[in-house]
Amino acid sequence: MRDRRLGIVAVALGMAAVLLGGTTAGGAPAPSGTITLYTSESDDDVNLLTRDFTQRTGVRVNVFRAGSGPVVSRIQAELQAGRIQADVIWFADIDFFRSLAQRDLLESYSPPAGRRAPGEFHYDNNRMHEVRLIFNVIAFNTRAVRFKPESWWDLSLPRYRGRAGMPSPFISGAAFNHVGTFAAMREFGWDFYRKLRANDAKVLNSNGDVARALASGEIVIAQIVDFFVRNLKAQGSPVDHIWPSEGALLIPTPVAIIKGTQNLEAAQAFVNYLYTPEAQRLFVQRSYIPAVRDMPYPAGTPDVATLKILKPNLAFIEQNRATIRSTFGEIFGIQ
Amino acid sequence: MREAALPAARARSPRLAGGVLVAAGVVLVAALALLVVYPSVMLVVGSLVADGRLTLAHYWRTFQDRAAVATLGNSLVVSTAATVLGTALGTVLAWLVTRTDLPGRRHWDTLLLLPYMIPPFIGAIAWVYLLGPAGYLNQLWMALTGSPDPLVVIYGPSGIVFALTLYGYPIVYATMRGVLQQMNPALEEAARIAGATPARLLRDVTVPLMLPGVLAGALLLFMSSLANFGIPAVIGFPARYFVLPTRIYRTILNFDLPNNLQIAAALSMWLVAIGVVLLFLQRRVLRSSRFVVVTGQATAPSRVELGRWATPIAAALGAFVAIGAALPVGAMLLTAATRAYGLPPVLENLTLQHFETVAVGIPKVPRAVANSLALASGAATIIVVLALGIAYLIARLRVRGAHLLDVLVTIPYAVPGTVVALAMILAWIRPVLGVHLYNTIWIILLAYVARFLIFGVRTLMAGLSQVHDSLEEAARISGASGARAFREITLPIIRPSIAAGWFLVFVPAVTELTLSILLFSVGNETLGVVIYGLHEEGKFALAAAGAFLVTTMLVGIHLVARAVSLRELVT
């Protein structure tokens, strides 16, 4: 009699031990192994983050880092051949991400640490997430420009004739979003671009190209992604930027997990890691505005209340891709 | 003198020496099938498929796309101009260095090859650093003359032709150098003895002898210009001048266009078609005349004495090298040595820190150096061996269908590198016969071999076509096997062509970008990818420093190789 009761208690205790001791907080086994990340994030940022992540979790990250053009090309080829080989993808082309989501190629995941970020940064039913914020702003060459610009319309001021520049929407997904969003806004519209063209604004290649032209003085004012300017300025190049009065355009740079990944736990751990205070602090260290609510902005950024942010008009862009392309092409004489 | 002074080559196949040659031939064909045909077939098939069905729709579409046709037109214009200029330059320069008594020939040789050793993308950027609206030369001009406008802006089709010519003439130069070194001086001697003036000698003897080499070099230069992406992207875009490779790239990025990759493949086939037509024309020209042949090379060719022309020619060469080599290298140096890009390159802003950072401060760099050197020398060696076999099959054994090989070898070069890389991914992403190639360094090697094989084949065919069958016949009659005859008679004679072929592959393979950037994986980064990555991220000074160091490294390798090699071009 006593043996049987002891036996039942032993089994019960054993089960309790297994339940409590053998699992992590999420109820899943601890992440391990390796994941593959395809990204266009800057090399320094990626190295910093993946090294930290590996130290904390032991998961190794194989990184394929290239501009968004090669990354998009490679993913398309892999898809065509049958399967995307990455586990996690992270680059600034939300339209491409959404097309993947539409084909049911992205995993839906709600990272626990992600609750610290506003819901609007979890896109498309949690299939992609914003972990830190970058913006299109107005940059200028400090040796050539005496009065700081203030508005997007300053790009077509007569004194900047032939000396204003922007990246090509045919090459940069972020630039494409910019054109599409502005075209749909009443305070800008296509007239904004017609005016730029009339003022001989230059359409360059990528943001990197715009940065090069701006720093050398080939152009003196530009639409460009903020961190390019920050990095150049930190090295000593004669460039700076302002936050435009109408608003800086948010450039979505989503992170997503590929459906069918061989290492789902590790992939999820990585996405979750990006929202943790440790990772968000690294972003702030690198002067990015964090996605989470409770972290102070980096020094030098205007504060939350005063910073005016424009969001890309993804719905309009999705419906009108061909028109946006052809109208812009017509205005600027680019076939 | 069109007819050979020697008996005309017979058109029959020489006896094969046993199974060795046949076995070698089989291995050769199998290797080729693997390397070149498989991805090329994927490409061709891909261009004919839409949503799983065979169709000509993509081709229809490309013909109707006015913008695409316009970019093809642009491509043809700039490529033709660059080829004409580059061939003329390369041939004249090679003749000067190999066939005259120009003082300091060895040094001129290195300087004339230098532009080829500059990483192509940075080479294009270097001209923007020089002659962009805010370029060093323009800023100098504006400072000296007080003019508000730059002297000349490189952007636009003329700038593209300029850059293509400057970076492309070494292809013809290197090919011609090999050909001229092999040429039998006896024929020229005979003509001179018979009383020919130097001009007549040139026209009736030297030029016809050089024709296979000139056409080979010109074809390579044309294809290289046609498929070039970096120069038009950097120099054409700002002037809204587009060529077919840049349009193809845009099509690939246009992911919401259905079947965009297939359309890109179809557009690429245009470039292949042009290449094939040119190949055909070249074959016609060469077939219609008998090209006199080397009969054993014992003496070094006699040199034309320049006499009083030596100084003006040296001055002209100096000016040419100053523009073609010194300026772009100088621009890279200056940019690399400036503390931060955009600051004026005055003494207080100069620093060596970027050189140090690139050389020792970035872990990827030494790895990339090792990878690129290994890949490039591996590819060059494999290509030379394969090309020897192919050239032999086509020129000697006259195997039927060997000409098809010629065409197949052209495809991976005619087509933009991005498209080749995509075809390689599609071909090799799944293990084939248990072999896993994707995401290893081997797929990059395979891609390089497929891409640059044409260099080997064309230079070796040009070289081989100059060597008369009679030499090998003589050896065989004396009892040597076919293989031995080839190894001990022909091979030593065509060594200059082999060296030319190896060099033409090695150099661009070290700095290759468009293939590598899609095919690399962790630990397998190449130099081109690393340097371009630095530039693309906004680290311009570091990228320039890296490019400068790579160019220096290649020049160093060239000098060492030359010092070590036996039969050298000039003494």
Side-chain angles (χ1 to χ4, degrees), chain A residues 74 76 78 80 218 237 335, chain B residues 155 252 262 341 438 518:
Chain A
R74 186 162 153 138
Q76 286 188 85
E78 290 182 356
Q80 183 118 135
E218 180 174 325
S237 289
Q335 297 159 316
Chain B
Y155 295 146
I252 293 174
Q262 285 76 7
Y341 185 68
Y438 191 50
L518 285 177

Side-chain angles (χ1 to χ4, degrees), chain B residues 532-549:
Chain B
Y532 175 71
L534 287 170
H535 181 90
E536 190 244 341
E537 280 195 52
K539 298 178 178 166
F540 309 116
L542 282 177
F548 180 80
L549 291 176

